[in-house]
C-alpha cells in the first residue's frame, strides 16, 4: 500500500546516513512506492487555520556520498499528505511547541502525524517517566537547591540533568562528598529558576544504557546498549559511547508492558525507551534513534515494521 509520506526534519544535507533513523524510514517508504515530501520546521505556516507547507519532492539513496535529491519547492496544504513523520530533533523549545499546533491542524483534516502532535507536547522525555514510578529509580524534579541537597545526601550518588537536553548534554554525576555539588545544582537550576531532574545513580550503567525501540506498544526484541567511554558516566553515542546489541531481558519486557498502554493511548507510535539495569530512565518520543544500528546487527528492518503499522492505521 503506497501512501504519500512527508517528513519534517532537520536539514537532510547534514545527517549521517549510516546511523540516521529518519533516513532509514524514508528509504523504506520509498521502497514501498510512497512519494516522499521533504520539509523543515521553517517551511510550515498557518493560513486561516489551515497548515500550509513549502515542500519538495525527495528521492533518497543509501549512498554516504550522494544520498538525496530535492525537486523545486511547491506550496500546498499539509493535509494533502496521508502521513507526516515529525522527526525534528530537540531542543524542545517554544518553536517546537508552536510547530505541533500547526501539525494538529493537518491532523484534524485527516493526515496521520507520527507521533501525534499533542503527545509530543505532553510527553517530555524526562518527565514522562513520572507516569511509571514503579519501574523507575528514585527521582526528584525540582528547582529547590535544598531539595536537591537532601536528595543527594539521602541517596549518596545521583545523576542530575536538564529536562530539555539530548545526547547526554549537561548530565552530571553528583556524590554526597562532591565539593562541586552546590555549583552543579546552581548551574543546572540557574539559581532556582529552572526545573531539573535528579535520579539515583544506577551502577549498571557500566553494562550500557539500553535503547529499546517500541512501535505501537510492541518492542523490537533487541536493544542497543550504549556503553560509556572510559572515564565517562554517559552512554550516549553523542557523548562517545559505543553500542552493542543485546536481547531484551524479562525485566526489559516488563518495563515495556508497563509503559505501552499509555503510549498507545497517547498516539505515540514510535518511541525509544532508555533502560539502565532494572530501571526506566527516559521515554524518547521526538526523534528516537538506533534503527540503523539494530538493523545492521541483527538483520532487521525496523522501518518496515513501522510502515506496516502506519498502513494498518490508514486502513482503519
Amino acid at each position: 500500500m503506497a501512501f504519500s509520506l512527508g517528513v519534517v526534519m532537520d536539514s537532510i544535507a547534514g545527517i549521517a546516513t549510516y546511523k540516521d533513523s529518519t533516513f532509514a524510514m524514508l528509504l523504506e517508504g520509498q521502497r514501498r512506492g510512497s512519494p516522499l515530501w521533504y520539509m523543515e520546521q521553517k517551511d510550515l505556516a498557518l493560513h486561516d487555520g489551515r497548515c500550509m507547507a513549502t515542500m519538495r519532492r525527495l528521492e533518497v539513496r543509501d549512498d554516504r556520498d550522494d544520498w538525496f535529491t530535492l525537486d523545486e519547492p511547491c506550496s500546498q496544504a499539509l493535509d494533502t499528505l496521508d502521513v507526516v513523520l515529525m522527526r525534528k530533533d530537540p531542543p524542545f523549545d517554544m518553536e517546537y511547541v508552536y510547530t505541533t499546533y500547526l501539525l494538529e491542524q493537518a491532523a484534524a483534516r485527516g493526515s496521520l502525524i507520527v507521533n501525534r502532535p499533542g503527545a509530543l507536547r505532553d510527553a517530555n522525555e524526562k518527565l514522562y517517566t513520572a507516569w511509571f514510578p514503579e519501574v523507575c529509580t528514585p527521582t526528584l524534579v525540582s528547582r529547590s537547591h535544598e531539595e536537591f541537597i537532601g536528595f543527594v545526601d539521602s541517596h549518596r550518588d545521583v545523576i542530575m540533568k536538564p529536562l530539555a537536553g539530548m545526547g547526554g548534554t549537561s548530565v552530571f554525576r553528583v556524590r554526597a562528598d562532591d565539593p562541586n555539588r552546590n555549583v552543579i545544582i546552581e548551574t543546572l537550576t540557574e539559581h532556582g529558576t529552572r526545573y531539573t531532574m535528579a535520579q539515583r545513580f544506577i551502577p549498571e550503567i557500566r553494562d550500557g544504557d539500553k535503547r529499546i525501540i517500541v512501535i505501537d506498544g510492541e518492542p523490537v526484541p533487541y536493544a542497543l546498549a550504549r556503553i560509556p567511554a572510559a572515564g565517562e558516566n554517559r552512554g550516549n553515542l553523542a557523548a562517545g559511547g559505543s553500542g552493542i546489541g543485546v536481547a531484551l531481558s524479562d525485566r526489559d519486557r516488563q518495563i515495556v508492558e508497563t509503559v505501552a498502554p499509555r503510549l498507545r493511548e497517547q498516539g505515540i507510535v514510535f518511541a525509544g525507551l532508555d533502560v539502565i539495569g532494572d530501571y526506566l530512565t527516559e521515554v524518547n518520543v521526538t526523534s528516537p534513534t538506533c534503527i540503523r544500528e539494530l538493523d545492521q546487527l541483527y538483520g532487521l528492518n525496523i522501518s518496515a515494521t513501522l510502515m506496516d503499522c502506519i498502513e494498518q492505521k490508514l486502513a482503519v
Side-chain angles (χ1 to χ4, degrees), residues 3-308:
F3 49 83
S4 53
L5 178 62
V7 63
V8 178
M9 60 185 292
D10 294 305
S11 173
I12 194 170
I15 65 174
T17 59
Y18 69 94
K19 65 176 183 177
D20 194 275
S21 292
T22 305
F23 188 68
M25 296 173 189
L26 294 172
L27 285 170
E28 178 61 21
Q30 180 175 273
R31 189 189 69 79
R32 295 178 177 223
S34 292
L36 304 181
W37 293 91
Y38 171 83
M39 292 155 281
E40 297 177 25
Q41 198 172 18
K42 62 182 174 58
D43 294 322
L44 303 181
L46 198 63
H47 289 233
D48 298 322
R50 193 173 191 185
C51 184
M52 303 296 293
T54 301
M55 58 181 78
R56 300 182 180 200
R57 277 294 303 269
L58 169 67
E59 178 187 331
V60 289
R61 297 172 292 279
D62 202 1
D63 180 335
R64 290 194 185 192
D65 299 317
D66 179 26
W67 61 91
F68 73 99
T69 300
L70 288 172
D71 287 349
E72 290 299 312
C74 65
S75 180
Q76 62 189 67
L78 191 62
D79 58 77
T80 59
L81 301 181
D82 297 315
V83 180
V84 178
L85 303 174
M86 176 49 169
R87 296 286 300 175
K88 170 72 177 68
D89 283 342
F92 191 94
D93 53 16
M94 284 307 299
E95 288 301 305
Y96 193 107
V97 171
Y98 298 147
T99 302
T100 66
Y101 289 128
L102 271 60
L103 292 172
E104 265 184 334
Q105 293 301 318
R109 293 173 180 263
S111 292
L112 175 62
I113 314 295
V114 177
N115 287 313
R116 189 175 67 83
L120 292 174
R121 290 198 300 273
D122 293 343
N124 175 275
E125 301 186 335
K126 310 294 192 298
L127 282 173
Y128 203 59
T129 58
W131 292 99
F132 319 105
E134 65 271 33
V135 294
C136 294
T137 190
T139 301
L140 170 69
V141 176
S142 179
R143 294 182 177 186
S144 167
H145 193 104
E146 291 73 20
E147 287 190 347
F148 282 119
I149 289 294
F151 190 85
V152 173
D153 285 341
S154 175
H155 295 289
R156 312 303 296 171
D157 195 355
V158 308
I159 292 292
M160 293 189 63
K161 53 190 174 183
L163 295 180
M166 68 170 289
T169 55
S170 300
V171 174
F172 291 87
R173 183 177 178 183
V174 187
R175 296 180 175 90
D177 61 354
D178 190 334
N180 293 309
R181 68 177 188 172
N182 282 320
V183 72
I184 292 171
I185 295 169
E186 291 166 3
T187 299
L188 286 174
T189 66
E190 293 185 356
H191 295 276
T193 64
R194 184 173 67 179
Y195 281 110
T196 298
M197 173 175 279
Q199 295 170 317
R200 186 178 66 190
F201 178 72
I202 307 168
E204 288 82 2
I205 184 62
R206 61 179 176 269
D207 301 319
D209 179 355
K210 287 180 283 189
R211 167 58 56 83
I212 301 173
I213 294 176
V214 181
I215 298 174
D216 203 25
E218 296 296 328
V220 173
Y222 304 97
L224 192 73
R226 297 159 295 173
I227 311 296
E232 262 286 358
N233 297 305
R234 301 170 298 171
N236 308 77
L237 301 182
S242 57
I244 63 170
V246 295
L248 297 193
S249 67
D250 290 343
R251 176 59 172 174
D252 294 335
R253 293 182 181 278
Q254 180 185 2
I255 290 171
V256 173
E257 289 170 2
T258 301
V259 176
R262 186 166 183 86
L263 295 180
R264 291 193 190 99
E265 176 186 330
Q266 295 291 308
I268 299 172
V269 175
F270 189 81
L273 308 188
D274 288 349
V275 173
I276 302 174
D278 289 337
Y279 300 103
L280 174 71
T281 60
E282 293 187 14
V283 180
N284 295 273
V285 302
T286 50
S287 56
T289 60
C290 296
I291 282 181
R292 302 217 80 181
E293 294 90 340
L294 288 170
D295 281 354
Q296 183 175 12
L297 285 168
Y298 294 106
L300 304 175
N301 187 344
I302 294 169
S303 295
T305 304
L306 174 62
M307 293 301 160
D308 287 346

